[in-house]
Amino acid sequence: MSYQEYKNRLSKIADIAYTIALQGWDQETYMPEKGAEFRAQQTATLSGIVHGMATNAELGKILEELNKNSGSLSEKEKRNALRSLKDYNKQKKYTTEFVELLSRTTSECFQAWQKAKKASDFSIYVPSLTKMVDLKRKEADLLGYEGHPYNAMLDQYEPDAKVADLDILFKDVREQLVAFVKDIEGAKQNEDAFMYKHYPKEKQWEFGLELLKQMNYDFEAGRQDISMHPFTTSFSPQDVRVTTKILEDNLKSMIWSCIHEGGHGLYEQGLPASEYGLPSGEAISLGIHESQSRLWENNVGRGLSFWKANYKKLQSYYPENLKDVTLDQFYKGMNLVKPSLVRIEADELTYHFHILIRYEIEKALMEGKIKVSELSEYWNARYKEYLGVKVTSDAEGVLQDVHWSHGSIGYFPTYSLGSFYAAQFFSKAKEEVKDLEKKIEAGDLLPLLQWLREKIHKHGKFYSAEELCKTVTGEKLNFKYFMDYAKHKYSSIYNLKQVMVK
Ligand code: CO
């Protein structure tokens, strides 16, 4: 059995998987309403085919043998073969009955969530979410885990992530970030009303494209469209699509989604096409993926240097709205820190309290420490404690996110991991890319992209997240980098006196 044969099989699996992704992209962008029914059928058929191929007994044999006789393989090939065998064995643990039950429960749960959210009544959601949580606890047993059952859930989105490490990270969030946000709340507050004037969408669209071009997103290997929820999807590194959302009464929505998805897109475009279908041609994890979007969105896009390069242009698009808003006011306005109820509208600091709360809840659910029926109350108490806000409706509280209805437990922490990795990577980039901030000020983002390509993108999944972080920055993920970044930036924005951090 040869490596080539393994490669061919994985390439074929990828062909189908990317075709499913293409259907998904179409569904979110251009598919007419009536297309939904047969589209669901087409996707289900292809999903069945791809599952069959990924769990095919012959593939299992090829993988076993390849791993047994791996002496002649390169290090990269060895790692690919081992990762694929692990994935294969994991897939095999799912019985057809379990997959079907999960699929049925997901449909039921999603419908109940929609209904409950519309009525802002959590009790409607309780029976099916209870079923989902029970099923997820069974899934953890079926997959097996060391330590905490939540580890089995995390592993699906962030391979090798462990409760033991995340507990340390989120303890830092709870202790350091909560206190820092309190300091900010005590300072003189800034204004962002200008963000909510009328911003016609054609010009927003044009400005967004200019931002993507400046980021060196390759339009010959991608395109941008509009969708309800912005996302990035890829059919190969040579066809990576991003979407954005434009609100005429909120300039932030387009700017942040454009840069954020652009960051995801650059990662996908930077993966090696020669490794198509193989682990070495894939992203490492959701956390690392999110580190790429957030590095561009937060560390670059919400920075002063970036707007020194772009604010005049933006003003020229909307002279009436922005002629009296200075660069300094614009910068402070778009970096407003203010605890709020809804995660996706949160600023880059209080955002992590939203994740902290979901992390604590998911862990407790997996342990069986809290019941689904107690969630609304538990949620509201945590929002009061960490964010100081009173939740007045379930729709804006415990029902705000769709993830649990999809069975995605263990997903939320990857958002915070993304920001923390981003801060650590960006700190390293500043050391290694000569005059990085000056280049950003001049609108020259290529040196940063080249650094990311070289250090992160081109390796695909050769490294694990932890290995990558150590290789790129010299140490494993450390919350200190995010906290330093936050203190440095926001102490200046809010004129806080502070002990100087490096
Ligand atoms: Co993202």
Side-chain angles (χ1 to χ4, degrees):
M1 297 291 174
S2 68
Y3 188 79
Q4 191 57 42
E5 195 174 345
Y6 150 72
K7 205 175 157 179
N8 291 346
R9 282 194 180 245
L10 261 74
S11 175
K12 286 207 184 329
I13 293 174
D15 290 343
I16 310 274
Y18 284 130
T19 305
I20 295 172
L22 176 59
Q23 290 189 339
W25 172 82
D26 176 69
Q27 189 167 348
E28 300 288 325
T29 51
Y30 295 108
M31 188 186 78
E33 220 177 296
K34 287 184 179 170
E37 196 186 331
F38 282 108
R39 177 58 49 84
Q41 179 184 313
Q42 290 151 1
T43 303
T45 300
L46 289 183
S47 301
I49 293 175
V50 87
H51 182 74
M53 288 166 86
T55 52
N56 173 285
E58 256 175 74
L59 175 64
K61 245 187 253 160
I62 294 173
L63 288 169
E64 290 281 356
E65 282 188 34
L66 205 54
N67 278 283
K68 238 183 264 161
N69 311 305
S70 62
S72 61
L73 300 181
S74 71
E75 186 56 30
K76 183 163 74 187
E77 290 168 343
K78 269 185 210 164
R79 284 186 173 215
N80 277 341
L82 189 62
R83 286 219 161 87
S84 294
L85 180 63
K86 266 191 178 165
D87 290 345
Y88 177 84
N89 287 334
K90 196 167 172 179
Q91 284 297 319
K92 288 295 260 189
K93 286 182 180 168
Y94 289 97
T95 61
T96 313
E97 295 78 52
F98 190 87
V99 171
E100 280 171 10
L101 183 59
L102 192 57
S103 163
R104 274 202 307 278
T105 310
T106 302
S107 306
E108 185 193 313
C109 211
F110 179 61
Q111 278 167 24
W113 172 75
Q114 282 179 311
K115 224 166 135 191
K117 188 166 178 180
K118 208 169 167 199
S120 192
D121 180 357
F122 184 65
S123 68
I124 297 172
Y125 191 30
V126 170
S128 55
L129 186 59
T130 302
K131 258 194 228 169
M132 178 61 86
V133 170
D134 289 345
L135 207 54
K136 286 279 142 179
R137 295 181 65 189
K138 281 200 190 101
E139 189 180 12
D141 290 336
L142 178 145
L143 290 170
Y145 57 86
E146 276 171 41
H148 199 289
Y150 190 48
N151 287 341
M153 299 291 105
L154 290 168
D155 194 62
Q156 311 191 38
Y157 308 103
E158 196 63 24
D160 308 322
K162 298 272 183 297
V163 164
D165 294 321
L166 291 185
D167 277 349
I168 296 172
L169 275 179
F170 283 110
K171 183 167 170 278
D172 287 342
V173 170
R174 211 166 44 228
E175 288 172 0
Q176 300 177 35
L177 203 53
V178 171
F180 185 56
V181 167
K182 290 230 163 77
D183 290 347
I184 290 176
E185 283 182 282
K188 185 176 169 290
Q189 298 301 299
N190 299 317
E191 196 39 68
D192 73 342
F194 57 84
M195 287 284 191
Y196 307 100
K197 290 183 177 169
H198 182 69
Y199 290 92
K201 65 171 184 263
E202 293 74 19
K203 283 188 178 175
Q204 284 202 49
W205 173 254
E206 250 177 75
F207 185 69
L209 290 180
E210 286 202 37
L211 293 181
L212 284 174
K213 278 179 201 150
Q214 190 179 130
M215 290 165 71
N216 298 286
Y217 173 84
D218 182 358
F219 279 93
E220 288 178 9
R223 53 178 289 131
Q224 179 174 260
D225 295 272
I226 298 277
S227 69
M228 186 108 101
H229 303 285
F231 68 94
T232 303
T233 188
S234 162
F235 319 131
S236 83
Q238 283 148 9
D239 189 353
V240 178
R241 317 258 174 119
V242 291
T243 70
T244 191
K245 178 179 173 179
I246 298 180
L247 301 174
E248 293 201 311
D249 57 357
N250 181 351
L251 184 60
K252 291 176 174 178
S253 175
M254 184 282 296
I255 291 179
W256 304 134
S257 68
C258 220
I259 304 176
H260 182 98
E261 301 308 329
H264 280 304
L266 289 175
Y267 185 20
E268 290 286 339
Q269 288 183 337
L271 293 170
S274 58
E275 306 292 309
Y276 177 85
L278 297 169
S280 51
E282 283 171 4
I284 293 176
S285 67
L286 288 188
I288 297 298
H289 224 307
E290 196 69 7
S291 79
Q292 299 306 289
S293 56
R294 295 202 178 204
L295 184 144
W296 288 99
E297 180 191 345
N298 295 338
N299 304 84
V300 178
R302 288 180 206 263
L304 189 55
S305 307
F306 184 76
W307 289 99
K308 280 184 182 166
N310 291 297
Y311 188 54
K312 279 217 172 71
K313 204 187 298 161
L314 181 63
Q315 273 180 317
S316 77
Y317 274 77
Y318 297 109
E320 268 143 53
N321 291 353
L322 296 173
K323 68 174 187 303
D324 296 327
V325 180
T326 64
L327 170 63
D328 185 60
Q329 286 167 328
F330 181 78
Y331 171 63
K332 287 178 176 164
M334 74 182 176
N335 282 301
L336 225 58
V337 174
K338 198 175 175 191
S340 61
L341 289 172
V342 179
R343 177 183 66 87
I344 56 169
E345 287 161 17
D347 58 81
E348 62 171 323
L349 299 189
T350 62
Y351 184 89
H352 300 291
F353 307 157
H354 294 261
I355 302 301
L356 166 65
I357 292 167
R358 287 155 182 74
Y359 173 69
E360 290 184 351
I361 289 178
E362 291 186 345
K363 236 174 62 175
L365 285 174
M366 290 305 290
E367 281 174 42
K369 270 196 187 155
I370 48 173
K371 289 199 204 86
V372 168
S373 56
E374 299 162 348
L375 274 193
S376 177
E377 220 173 296
Y378 185 92
W379 178 283
N380 299 351
R382 294 287 92 72
Y383 267 73
K384 186 93 205 103
E385 185 184 350
Y386 297 144
L387 285 127
V389 293
K390 192 170 180 306
V391 181
T392 49
S393 78
D394 283 340
E396 282 204 311
V398 67
L399 289 170
Q400 64 182 267
D401 285 313
V402 67
H403 302 56
W404 292 335
S405 79
H406 289 158
S408 297
I409 291 179
Y411 191 117
F412 284 116
T414 68
Y415 293 127
S416 283
L417 288 174
S419 292
F420 305 158
Y421 276 124
Q424 196 161 331
F425 291 148
F426 195 68
S427 155
K428 199 49 158 187
K430 281 214 248 185
E431 267 175 56
E432 294 185 355
V433 180
K434 199 167 169 283
D435 298 326
L436 178 58
E437 289 288 351
K438 280 207 186 104
K439 285 183 173 131
I440 296 173
E441 267 177 42
D444 180 10
L445 301 176
L446 193 58
L448 175 61
L449 178 61
Q450 282 166 337
W451 187 86
L452 293 168
R453 289 265 190 267
E454 190 55 34
K455 300 283 172 176
I456 299 170
H457 303 174
K458 77 168 194 190
H459 302 292
K461 209 187 257 179
F462 179 78
Y463 298 116
S464 68
E466 187 174 314
E467 282 174 335
L468 178 84
C469 192
K470 280 186 187 157
T471 308
V472 175
T473 71
E475 61 179 305
K476 68 184 237 182
L477 183 61
N478 186 340
F479 181 69
K480 167 185 173 297
Y481 291 94
F482 181 82
M483 206 53 220
D484 284 357
Y485 157 77
K487 284 206 163 160
H488 185 77
K489 176 173 172 180
Y490 289 94
S491 295
S492 144
I493 289 177
Y494 284 93
N495 288 316
L496 300 176
K497 272 196 246 92
Q498 59 139 352
V499 195
M500 211 39 217
V501 286
K502 194 178 97 54

